[in-house]
Structure formats: C-alpha cells, structure tokens
Amino acid sequence: MSLAQPSRRTSSFHALIRLLRYARGYRRHIIAAASCSIINKLFDIAPEILIGVAIDVVVNQERSFVARLGFTTPQEQIMILAVLTFFIWAGESIFEYLYQILWRNLAQRLQADLRQDTYEHAQRLDMAFFEAKSSGQLVATMNDDVNQLERFLDGGANALVQVGVTVVAVGAVFFVISPLIALLAFTPIPLIIWGAFYFQRKAGPLYSDVREKVGDLSSRLSNNLAGIATIKSFTSEAREADRLRVASEAYVEANRRAIRVSSAFIPVIRMAILAGFLATFTVGGMLALRGDLNVGAYGVLVFLTQRLLWPLTNLAEVIDLFERAMASTRRILDLLQVPILVQDNSARELAQPVRGAVSFDAVSFHYASSGAGVEAVSLEVPAGTTLALVGATGSGKSTLIKLLLRFYDPQQGEVCVDGQPVQSVSLASLRRAIGLVSQDVYLFEGSIRDNIAYGRPEASEAEVIEAARIAEAWEFIEVLPQGLDTPVGERGIRLSGGQRQRLSLARALLKDSPILILDEATSAVDNETEAAIQRSLKRIAHGRTVIMVAHRLSTIVHADEIAVVHRGQVVERGSHRTLLALDGYYAAQWRVQTGSARAKDVPLA
C-alpha cells in the first residue's frame, strides 16, 4: 500500500485493530485506563439515582426504599444519603484523576514510540523510497499524524468507553424499574448508532483526504523554506505565495467537506434524543399519576434519560476525532509496513584490519523509475590506490558509489570489499569502512565541532583540529569569534560553499575510514577551495583507497586509474597519459576542458 495513497476502503475499525496490535505492550496500561473510565462513569450516574431515592424519602418517608434497609426515620435516611453522596462524588473525582493520568500518559508514551519507530524504520528504508517520496509527507506522518492520534487518546478514547458504559449501566437501571419505559427510552438509540456509523462511513474517506492535503501542504512549506534563496533570486515570492495558497485552500476545502458531513450528525441526533426524553417524561408521568410508578423511581428515570441520551450528542465530536485519528493511524502504520529491500541480515563484520580493496564484478543495476543505471561493470581497485570515475551526467558513476555503500543492491553481479561481498557483512561495518564527501554537502544544525566530529563524537579536540588542518579548514575556523563552537545554521547556511565542502572533507577524514569516496566533491567550489582540497588529497591518499567521481578532469590526473563510464558501461580505463594516447572519449573531453576543442566534438556530452 502506498504511503501517499492509503486505501480509503480500509475501515477505521480495521485501523483501530492494527493500532491495538501495535500497542500490545501497553495492554495492562490500556486495561487500567479503561477500568478507571468505567468506574468513574458508574460513580457519575449514581447521583441521579440518589436524587430519585431522596425524592422517595421525602414523599414516602417511613415507607421509602431506604426505610426497608433499616433506617426508619426520614432524618436518618437523609443523612445516610448525604454520606453516600459524599463518597460517590469523592470516588468520581479520584477515578477521573486516575483515568486522565492513565490516558494522557498512554497518549504520550504511544505517540513517542510511534514517532521513534517510524523514524527508525524510515532510516532503514532504501534510498529509492526517499527519492520517490516527499520529505514533507514523511514529516507530516511522523509529526502531525502522530499528534492527531495523541489528541484522540487524550480525550476521545475515554469518551467512547464512557458512552458504552452509560448505555449499559443506565439501561440496566431502566429495565429494573420499568421495562416499558426502558423500551421507550431506548428506542432512539438504534437510530443514533446507525447515524453514527453512517456518518463514520461518509466521513472516513473525507478525513483520509484531509490527511493527504496536510502532507501536501507540509511538503510545499518544507520545499519553499529550503529553497528560499532561489525564490528570492528569481523574485518568485508572489508566485510561491500563490502556490502555497492553492495548497492551503485545498486543505481548507477537504476539511470543509468533512465538516459538512460531521456537522449534520448533531441536529439529527438531537431530535432522536428529544423523542426518547419525551417518551420517558410523558409515559412515566402518567404511570406515576396513576400510582403504577413510584414518584422517586419516576424522578430517577427522568434524570437518567438525560444522562443516557444527552452524552450521545457528543458522539459526533468523538467520532470526528476518532476518524481523524484512524486516518492518521493508517498513514503511520502504512509507513511502518513499507518493506526494506536492502536487508541488513548479517551480523558478520568486515575482516579487520580493513585494507580497502574494492571490486565490482559484472555488476548490473537499473532504476525502476527511469531505467538508467549500469550494465555489466567490472572494476578492480587495489587497496591504497586511487580510482577516478568520469563521464557525462547520468552515465552511472554515482550509481556505482551507491552500490558500494549498499544504498541499493545490484540486480546482477557482486560488489566486494577485501574480497567479501558487501551483502554478506553488516551494513554498520561496511559503512564504517567508507568515508563519503559528496557534492551536495549536508551539515547538521549545531557547531562546527559537532559537524566535524559527526562520525566520531568521542574524538578529542586535538583530533578535530588536526582533521580541520588536513582539510585546510582550520585557517578560516580559527579566526571565527567562537572557533570550533561557531554555529553553522540550518544545513550550514552561515558558511560559504567552499567552507562547507572543507568541513565535509574534515568530517570524512576524522572518521579515518580505509576507503574514501569523493563524489563530485570539487565541482561546486571555487578554484582556491579546489586547490586546497587537492593538496589535502595528496596528504590523505597515502595508504587509503580513494574513489573519485569528477567532471573536472584536472582534479584526477594523478589517479592510479581512470575509468570512463558511458551509458552505464566502462568504455575506457587507464592512467591519464594512457587515456590521452588512446585518443577516445577521455582525450576528447580533456581537449574541451583545456580549450583545444569544441564541446560539440566530444562524444561524452
């Protein structure tokens, strides 16, 4: 089932069953909370019964129901009723406190577990999932949907339990006092229940649509805030505001349709309640006037009729909350059920020490969405050597990197590190052995120190500084007022592109992995930063396997081997001199970049 398109045929009760299965570890907590809700409601309806008994005492005195219990004088009877009233109100207050504590704590714990589990599951999902899904939709599921379920558990769950208890308990009292009036008073209840389910069926798909629109709106906001610099540079503020307004209006309209259905419930139920109340009021009154019904019992029935039927008016609100929560629950649990294709099934570690030899043996992989990828690629990268991958955009260079990191698994062939297939070792040990510096540098909000030490949080300050020196980042860090403690801002927005790239390199260096991958690490930096990175690479390449993906051929002329990737296949291999002498794809691209040929003459373009 798609996260973005949950089945509207899935019933809310099926979603509730799925939620209860998920929350089976909280079974005792749920039972305790529901028990307190039940006891509280029983105490809550008791005062209406005591009012009827008090009327009976005043009217019948020595012949009252309480007199038959051994309290002969009316004064004694009133006193015992007062004592009972005190304990009933105290009991109601105590159990109201308990059920609120229990339900709210359950809501907090369950929402925390759901958010944590969905996040941890999402972290294990394949890169293909994130390339196909909107980050806004995922954030809406992990945050807004989880909060929607929390709101239901805070109050709606207790309300549902207490409505059920009210119907059963009050119904029992009615049938004991007068089966005829019980039948009349309960006549509207089937209509009310039918109406509740009818509106539930109508509202369910509408609230699923509401949750979808929330995700779309979150995605729009997230994308626009992330791209605010581009929006400003193209003076597109008005256009983006209009696009946001369209998404916001779609959400408003989806809510309007749901509200239109849910709001119609209360007027219908009010008339059904009126019918039940009038039946009790008139028929019971006539029976009391004829002497067929005790006056106190009549008072009990009148008060309990309101206690029975009136709370059902809130059923619409509770069902509204329930539907919203179940729509959110479906999205949350559907995300938890998205299958993980790249399985981490091995507890086996890469053999230590990791030398860093990498091989691709007849590896084929194609993306389902585009069909692009690599076909029957075989490459050997001996430990401690540098391999450069060059080729046109979309030729398959970065795909090989993703296969090495096991972001994807090859459909054919095998990727090995030190002769061990990467699928036969744990993901943690594989990725610990690889340091990645990508073109799109991602810095986490925090300090420079936090970002450099991201791969080794336990690293000492001296180690952090040394990594920064090797990456030629220390020169700009030490002149900052806060030095290593300087905040980088969201995604490193407070730093220049070159500074972010040098921090990314320092982060990979501090990790001290035997394999270092540079995926277009110098394509978006200035000449000074490129030169700095090149100097750093000369220092760190010794004794380490380096795989470089590059468009600027000047950055890889010293690589031990260069592989030219064209349309998913390796078409040329060799050193810089060898490939120039071959006068093929690489040589043609080199002539363009050095100004001795035109771009249209280059086969790689």
Side-chain angles (χ1 to χ4, degrees), residues 70-179:
F71 303 97
T72 55
T73 68
Q75 291 77 13
E76 288 180 338
Q77 296 171 31
I78 292 295
M79 288 303 298
I80 196 64
L81 290 178
V83 171
L84 283 174
T85 300
F86 171 80
F87 282 108
I88 286 170
W89 280 67
E92 180 187 359
S93 299
I94 290 170
F95 282 97
E96 180 173 0
Y97 169 79
L98 291 175
Y99 82 63
Q100 288 196 18
I101 289 290
L102 289 168
W103 281 119
R104 290 179 179 180
N105 284 341
L106 175 66
Q108 292 303 311
R109 288 306 326 151
L110 198 56
Q111 64 91 13
D113 286 351
L114 278 168
R115 185 177 289 111
Q116 190 70 28
D117 288 347
T118 51
Y119 174 73
E120 290 182 6
H121 181 75
Q123 284 193 129
R124 294 192 297 271
L125 290 173
D126 317 297
M127 291 303 297
F129 175 84
F130 295 98
E131 291 167 1
K133 299 299 178 186
S134 157
S135 60
Q137 288 280 0
L138 293 175
V139 170
T141 298
M142 295 181 197
N143 191 46
D144 198 62
D145 284 327
V146 170
N147 290 341
Q148 186 67 55
L149 178 59
E150 177 195 357
R151 285 191 285 272
F152 169 71
L153 292 174
D154 268 344
N158 170 71
L160 280 178
V161 170
Q162 293 201 332
V163 165
V165 173
T166 300
V167 171
V168 173
V170 173
V173 174
F174 264 65
F175 277 100
V176 168
I177 295 175
S178 174

Side-chain angles (χ1 to χ4, degrees), residues 306-519:
Q306 287 196 354
R307 179 64 71 181
L308 169 67
L309 298 177
W310 197 251
L312 295 178
T313 58
N314 294 327
L315 200 57
E317 182 180 345
V318 174
I319 288 177
D320 182 83
L321 199 59
F322 176 75
E323 280 302 327
R324 290 176 183 267
M326 291 307 103
S328 293
T329 297
R330 282 194 293 272
R331 285 164 53 91
I332 297 166
L333 297 181
D334 285 349
L335 174 56
L336 281 172
Q337 290 184 347
V338 174
I340 299 171
L341 302 180
V342 177
Q343 293 287 341
D344 187 14
N345 293 326
S346 177
R348 178 184 171 191
E349 299 272 313
L350 271 172
Q352 299 296 320
V354 178
R355 296 181 296 108
V358 175
S359 64
F360 297 86
D361 184 12
V363 168
S364 295
F365 174 83
H366 298 279
Y367 299 98
S369 57
S370 64
V374 293
E375 183 67 35
V377 170
S378 293
L379 285 170
E380 293 283 342
V381 189
T385 64
T386 298
L387 169 72
L389 299 172
V390 300
T393 300
S395 60
K397 308 182 299 297
S398 294
T399 299
L400 292 173
I401 300 304
K402 292 175 182 178
L403 293 174
L404 174 59
L405 284 161
R406 276 203 78 196
F407 290 164
Y408 298 93
D409 281 333
Q411 288 143 0
Q412 290 181 329
E414 200 168 59
V415 182
C416 297
V417 173
D418 290 348
Q420 302 171 79
V422 295
Q423 290 170 271
S424 69
V425 298
S426 70
L427 281 174
S429 68
L430 171 67
R431 292 172 183 169
R432 277 198 304 268
I434 303 172
L436 173 66
V437 182
S438 63
Q439 175 185 2
D440 184 17
V441 176
Y442 191 95
L443 297 182
F444 295 91
E445 189 165 10
S447 67
I448 289 177
R449 183 198 310 274
D450 295 336
N451 276 278
I452 294 178
Y454 188 75
R456 282 181 59 202
E458 75 285 357
S460 66
E461 180 166 324
E463 291 173 316
V464 171
I465 293 174
E466 179 62 20
R469 289 187 188 279
I470 296 174
E472 299 208 15
W474 183 244
E475 182 178 347
F476 80 83
I477 294 173
E478 66 177 344
V479 299
L480 294 171
Q482 295 175 263
L484 286 171
D485 296 316
T486 302
V488 302
E490 187 176 8
R491 297 179 64 91
I493 195 171
R494 298 184 183 179
L495 304 177
S496 70
Q499 290 171 335
R500 291 196 295 268
Q501 194 64 269
R502 294 187 203 190
L503 289 188
S504 177
L505 181 59
R507 179 168 61 190
L509 294 178
L510 185 61
K511 187 180 177 184
D512 196 26
S513 302
I515 301 171
L516 178 63
I517 297 174
L518 302 172
D519 189 0

Side-chain angles (χ1 to χ4, degrees), residues 589-604:
Q589 184 69 39
W590 176 261
R591 287 194 293 270
V592 168
Q593 293 194 11
T594 56
S596 58
R598 295 173 299 175
K600 68 179 185 179
D601 299 326
V602 182
L604 280 175

Side-chain angles (χ1 to χ4, degrees), residues 158-299:
N158 170 71
L160 280 178
V161 170
Q162 293 201 332
V163 165
V165 173
T166 300
V167 171
V168 173
V170 173
V173 174
F174 264 65
F175 277 100
V176 168
I177 295 175
S178 174
L180 172 62
I181 296 179
L183 289 173
L184 294 173
F186 272 72
T187 298
I189 290 182
L191 175 62
I192 294 171
I193 294 175
W194 173 84
F197 282 104
Y198 172 80
F199 283 102
Q200 177 262 324
R201 286 195 300 272
K202 289 289 186 181
L206 298 178
Y207 282 121
S208 290
D209 190 44
V210 168
R211 303 317 309 158
E212 288 301 310
K213 294 302 186 290
V214 168
D216 293 342
L217 190 57
S218 296
S219 182
R220 173 63 58 195
L221 286 168
S222 175
N223 289 337
N224 282 13
L225 292 175
I228 192 66
T230 303
I231 292 172
K232 286 179 177 293
S233 68
F234 282 90
T235 63
S236 297
E237 291 92 339
R239 187 198 322 163
E240 291 302 332
D242 287 339
R243 294 172 71 180
L244 179 64
R245 188 176 295 109
V246 169
S248 183
E249 286 300 321
Y251 171 59
V252 170
E253 181 57 31
N255 254 314
R256 185 180 292 122
R257 289 193 296 267
I259 291 168
R260 189 183 301 125
V261 171
S262 62
S263 297
F265 180 71
I266 291 179
V268 173
I269 298 309
R270 280 180 179 273
M271 298 312 296
I273 289 170
L274 177 62
F277 179 75
L278 288 177
T280 303
F281 184 80
T282 55
V283 174
M286 294 299 179
L287 291 175
L289 289 173
R290 290 207 316 257
D292 295 333
L293 182 65
N294 184 284
V295 174
Y298 173 59

